[in-house]
Amino acid sequence: MKLSKKNLDQRLEHVYDVVIVGGGAGGLAAAVYLQRYRLSCLVIEKGRGRSFWMQDLRNYLGLPSDTPGRTLLQQGQQHVLSLGADYLAGFVEAVHDEGETFAVKVKVGKQDSIYPVFRSKYVVAASGIIDRLPHLEDMQNVYDYAGYNLHVCMICDGYEIADKQCGLFVETEAAINTAFVLNWFTPYITVFTQGLCDVSDAMRQKLKDHGYPLVEAPIDRLLGHDHEMTGVALADGSTVELETGLVAMGSQYFNEYLKGLDLQWSGENLVTDSMCRTSHPRLFAIGDLKEGLNQVSIAVADGTLAATAIWREIRRASAPRRWESHLNQPDAIENGVLKT
Amino acid sequence: MKLSKKNLDQRLEHVYDVVIVGGGAGGLAAAVYLQRYRLSCLVIEKGRGRSFWMQDLRNYLGLPSDTPGRTLLQQGQQHVLSLGADYLAGFVEAVHDEGETFAVKVKVGKQDSIYPVFRSKYVVAASGIIDRLPHLEDMQNVYDYAGYNLHVCMICDGYEIADKQCGLFVETEAAINTAFVLNWFTPYITVFTQGLCDVSDAMRQKLKDHGYPLVEAPIDRLLGHDHEMTGVALADGSTVELETGLVAMGSQYFNEYLKGLDLQWSGENLVTDSMCRTSHPRLFAIGDLKEGLNQVSIAVADGTLAATAIWREIRRASAPRRWESHLNQPDAIENGVLKT
């Protein structure tokens, strides 16, 4: 059921099989499988994750390619609630390992916040990332286009960028190399650094060799209308026309709550095995938090794998259920033998 | 576009980037990604694979849990056609490695068959498996219930079996062990062997200890109505009431066309790396053909991975696209430098 400040007291004594941190595609898929394995789980979702912002989820099998990411999330939320999962809007502040259980401390409510602690045998970390966006004075001007024709994922949206005049927005020299992958889709690339990084002579030459202009002037605002970006206005008053854009400014990882645990990291990603288990035997990491492709389809498979590994472990540790012979044995069966 | 006997001649000179053998969930997902990577692919589907038979796809995120498998397949077929993939109903008889390309020989049409050969740089083997079913004299009697409440996948449908009187249909002693996993969901298990295998004394004792009757008599027919199986009629005239069933008779693998290639197998499964590449560098195996869980979500992720690996390889081997400076450079840009 949906938990809130009003009713979450009912669950504070319960030990869940699994608390899932994050109600994106991975977390919801894990919850579908866990509930169908007859395990109990709580999904804690802070809101507005990466898939929430996708205007069109164009590459997920089974959904029309104009399906917004939030439609997938709403469908998934209904799905897990119908299977008996608990779901809470809240922000996970810390996860403590208590030996047999984890204690998961959550901030609930932006005003008059409360800080309940839930307990579970396992934790699935599915809290993902969010893309960094160009920082302009008027951020609403950025939000007007981000997720529409100002893209954040080349694998997802390179197809939409194909053969268009594309602005590539970066803040490090390393990210400029994105241009030399993006050129699979379009050669009409203009690189914008906003002067946030030094650019080496070698990189300048490489851009020049490929014909990709480099614009280092600060950006005043994005131009466009109806969520369609058509160019960039620079601080010096000049403008650059564009048909689309790709932001390659890295990601913010939602993994602070895990920093107190002794885990194996690869940069900001958690290292996991083939079933998405981290170096902690009762902690799984799925989707964008772990190494690999940041794709909805991968997160959903990760949720499948983590849930299955947890089920196997809990099942094997449980006493087998016998069929007591006085209970509902078929008429034709007597003491395990067919009457004939 | 949809290919048929009438128009496939147009494609016999074309070298596809990828031929995908199998238009189930994995093959269609691979095609979605490949086409969005601007690669050309042909999906060859023999029809009536495992997901076609699923009456309710209850565990795939984003779709309501009463969605039939064939709805997913239809949506996916539309999706890949809208992206420009080719799609052919046919049966792949052989794949020959020609060095730079594969030659894929297909049987098209059950009557007046023709045997076109298509060429591609890569092959994705996505032809999957089909579950073996109890072999009764009247197979329509089995088809009436298979995929409804006579299940073939415990991970998919254990939830529906929970606490019900369940027939477990096997043909080997090893498969009887399925009962000791199935009992996570229900203890009311009756095992049917139809006398197809010897059962050791140790197994008989184990079943007895758990209270699970063993029925070795031949089955005359399944009882029920409106796709709801309610029991089993045995050849000796007695009947056993059931509320549901699980078939654990193994699978038939559609991999004959690969047997001429030098590949690493694990039983009937192909061994693959983390991107679903087999021991042949240009052949990928996804979904149920490879080792791992036989789940739609896994097949879809596999298609994502294989397509991405192929794209990376083709992209890296291609000449980079330059922006020729006379073409559409923004007004504000002159020779790669911003005019101010």
Side-chain angles (χ1 to χ4, degrees):
Chain A
M1 69 178 183
K2 271 203 165 183
L3 299 188
S4 67
K5 280 184 190 175
K6 287 179 191 163
N7 64 0
L8 64 78
D9 281 0
Q10 299 175 36
R11 294 297 200 260
L12 296 181
E13 301 299 310
H14 180 64
V15 176
Y16 288 97
D17 289 308
V18 188
V19 164
I20 301 169
V21 184
L28 290 170
V32 166
Y33 272 81
L34 287 165
Q35 291 292 138
R36 292 185 60 81
Y37 288 136
R38 305 186 90 197
L39 300 172
S40 70
C41 64
L42 166 63
V43 179
I44 305 173
E45 165 62 14
K46 65 165 181 34
R48 297 174 168 267
R50 199 180 198 218
S51 42
F52 177 86
W53 291 99
M54 289 174 203
Q55 297 306 321
D56 300 291
L57 177 56
R58 295 190 171 92
N59 57 13
Y60 185 65
L61 194 77
L63 296 180
S65 55
D66 60 352
T67 306
R70 58 187 181 283
T71 300
L72 174 81
L73 300 180
Q74 283 159 2
Q75 167 60 34
Q77 193 183 322
Q78 278 176 27
H79 197 164
V80 305
L81 287 169
S82 76
L83 291 165
D86 284 345
Y87 187 99
L88 173 67
F91 183 83
V92 173
E93 296 214 322
V95 170
H96 295 291
D97 186 358
E98 303 179 314
E100 298 283 299
T101 55
F102 286 109
V104 181
K105 185 183 169 194
V106 187
K107 177 180 175 178
V108 178
K110 287 197 173 165
Q111 293 178 328
D112 304 321
S113 306
I114 62 170
Y115 296 85
V117 175
F118 297 91
R119 286 191 162 71
S120 63
K121 297 176 192 162
Y122 293 82
V123 162
V124 173
S127 42
I129 61 174
I130 195 81
D131 306 280
R132 289 204 196 89
L133 295 173
H135 193 78
L136 304 186
E137 199 167 298
D138 175 12
M139 283 307 292
Q140 187 55 49
N141 171 245
V142 179
Y143 301 144
D144 279 348
Y145 306 110
Y148 292 88
N149 73 331
L150 176 59
H151 302 287
V152 294
C153 171
M154 198 196 309
I155 287 183
C156 306
D157 297 316
Y159 186 83
E160 273 65 42
I161 292 172
D163 297 327
K164 291 194 175 143
Q165 293 205 9
C166 181
L168 175 64
F169 300 88
V170 303
E171 58 183 0
T172 63
E173 173 163 325
I176 296 177
N177 285 305
T178 307
F180 309 111
V181 181
L182 181 59
N183 63 1
W184 172 263
F185 295 103
T186 184
Y188 311 125
I189 300 168
T190 302
V191 177
F192 295 86
T193 67
Q194 304 179 257
L196 295 171
C197 58
D198 290 331
V199 181
S200 66
D201 289 344
M203 181 61 84
R204 287 176 195 279
Q205 188 60 47
K206 189 170 178 186
L207 286 170
K208 201 170 178 187
D209 290 345
H210 284 75
Y212 308 154
L214 172 66
V215 177
E216 299 180 86
I219 294 173
D220 180 52
R221 66 186 193 286
L222 306 179
L223 303 172
H225 48 80
D226 296 336
H227 301 298
E228 189 186 338
M229 185 186 69
T230 57
V232 168
L234 300 171
D236 62 17
S238 60
T239 63
V240 180
E241 282 178 38
L242 298 171
E243 294 169 293
T244 184
L246 178 70
V247 179
M249 302 178 75
S251 308
Q252 181 189 343
Y253 284 73
F254 296 113
N255 57 16
E256 273 300 313
Y257 63 96
L258 297 169
K259 292 295 171 73
L261 299 171
D262 180 26
L263 298 170
Q264 191 184 347
W265 298 85
S266 169
E268 293 285 297
N269 287 117
L270 281 156
V271 176
T272 56
D273 70 10
S274 63
M275 296 301 277
C276 299
R277 195 190 300 256
T278 70
S279 55
H280 187 300
R282 292 182 293 111
L283 183 83
F284 291 73
I286 66 176
D288 298 349
L289 272 196
K290 67 174 234 311
E291 292 182 292
L293 297 180
N294 296 344
Q295 291 288 295
V296 168
S297 57
I298 301 295
V300 170
D302 287 349
T304 304
L305 293 169
T308 302
I310 291 169
W311 170 56
R312 285 176 177 162
E313 207 158 79
I314 291 178
R315 172 169 56 75
R316 285 169 187 162
S318 303
R321 293 172 75 194
R322 295 185 72 256
W323 190 353
E324 305 301 337
S325 57
H326 58 284
L327 287 175
N328 305 315
Q329 291 259 357
D331 291 341
I333 306 285
E334 195 171 72
N335 290 325
V337 176
L338 193 72
K339 287 189 283 186
T340 50
Chain B
M1 69 178 183
K2 270 204 166 183
L3 299 189
S4 66
K5 280 184 189 174
K6 288 179 187 164
N7 64 359
L8 63 78
D9 281 1
Q10 299 175 38
R11 294 297 200 261
L12 296 182
E13 301 300 310
H14 180 63
V15 176
Y16 288 97
D17 290 307
V18 188
V19 164
I20 300 168
V21 185
L28 290 169
V32 166
Y33 272 82
L34 288 165
Q35 291 293 137
R36 293 186 59 83
Y37 287 136
R38 305 186 89 197
L39 300 172
S40 71
C41 63
L42 165 62
V43 179
I44 305 173
E45 164 62 12
K46 65 164 181 34
R48 297 174 168 267
R50 198 180 200 219
S51 42
F52 177 86
W53 291 99
M54 288 175 206
Q55 297 307 321
D56 300 291
L57 178 54
R58 295 191 172 92
N59 57 13
Y60 186 65
L61 194 77
L63 297 181
S65 56
D66 59 352
T67 306
R70 58 187 182 282
T71 300
L72 174 81
L73 300 179
Q74 284 159 2
Q75 167 60 35
Q77 192 183 323
Q78 279 177 27
H79 197 164
V80 305
L81 287 168
S82 76
L83 291 165
D86 284 346
Y87 187 98
L88 173 67
F91 183 83
V92 172
E93 296 214 322
V95 170
H96 295 293
D97 186 358
E98 303 179 314
E100 298 283 299
T101 55
F102 287 108
V104 181
K105 184 182 170 195
V106 187
K107 176 180 175 178
V108 178
K110 288 197 174 166
Q111 293 179 327
D112 303 322
S113 306
I114 61 170
Y115 296 85
V117 174
F118 297 91
R119 286 191 163 71
S120 63
K121 297 177 193 162
Y122 293 82
V123 162
V124 173
S127 42
I129 61 174
I130 194 81
D131 306 280
R132 290 204 195 88
L133 294 174
H135 193 76
L136 304 187
E137 200 168 297
D138 175 13
M139 282 307 292
Q140 188 55 48
N141 172 245
V142 179
Y143 301 144
D144 279 349
Y145 305 110
Y148 292 88
N149 73 332
L150 176 60
H151 302 288
V152 295
C153 171
M154 198 196 311
I155 287 182
C156 307
D157 297 316
Y159 186 81
E160 274 65 42
I161 292 173
D163 297 327
K164 290 192 177 145
Q165 293 206 8
C166 181
L168 175 65
F169 300 88
V170 302
E171 57 184 1
T172 64
E173 172 162 326
I176 297 177
N177 286 304
T178 307
F180 309 111
V181 181
L182 181 60
N183 63 2
W184 172 262
F185 294 103
T186 184
Y188 311 124
I189 300 169
T190 302
V191 177
F192 296 86
T193 67
Q194 303 181 79
L196 294 170
C197 58
D198 290 331
V199 181
S200 66
D201 288 344
M203 181 62 84
R204 287 175 195 278
Q205 188 60 47
K206 190 171 177 187
L207 286 170
K208 201 169 177 188
D209 291 345
H210 284 75
Y212 307 154
L214 172 67
V215 178
E216 299 181 86
I219 294 173
D220 180 53
R221 67 187 192 284
L222 307 178
L223 304 172
H225 48 81
D226 297 336
H227 301 298
E228 190 186 337
M229 185 186 69
T230 57
V232 168
L234 300 171
D236 62 16
S238 60
T239 63
V240 180
E241 283 178 37
L242 298 171
E243 294 169 293
T244 185
L246 178 70
V247 179
M249 302 178 73
S251 309
Q252 181 189 346
Y253 284 74
F254 296 113
N255 56 17
E256 273 301 313
Y257 63 96
L258 297 169
K259 292 294 172 72
L261 299 170
D262 180 26
L263 298 169
Q264 190 184 346
W265 298 86
S266 169
E268 293 285 297
N269 287 116
L270 281 156
V271 177
T272 56
D273 70 9
S274 64
M275 295 301 277
C276 299
R277 195 189 301 256
T278 69
S279 55
H280 188 301
R282 292 183 293 110
L283 183 82
F284 291 72
I286 66 176
D288 299 348
L289 271 195
K290 66 173 236 311
E291 293 181 290
L293 297 181
N294 296 345
Q295 292 287 294
V296 167
S297 58
I298 301 295
V300 170
D302 287 349
T304 304
L305 293 169
T308 302
I310 291 169
W311 170 56
R312 284 176 178 162
E313 206 158 79
I314 291 178
R315 171 168 58 75
R316 286 168 187 162
S318 303
R321 293 171 75 193
R322 294 185 70 258
W323 190 353
E324 305 301 337
S325 58
H326 57 284
L327 286 174
N328 306 314
Q329 290 261 356
D331 292 342
I333 307 284
E334 195 170 71
N335 292 323
V337 176
L338 193 72
K339 288 189 285 188
T340 49

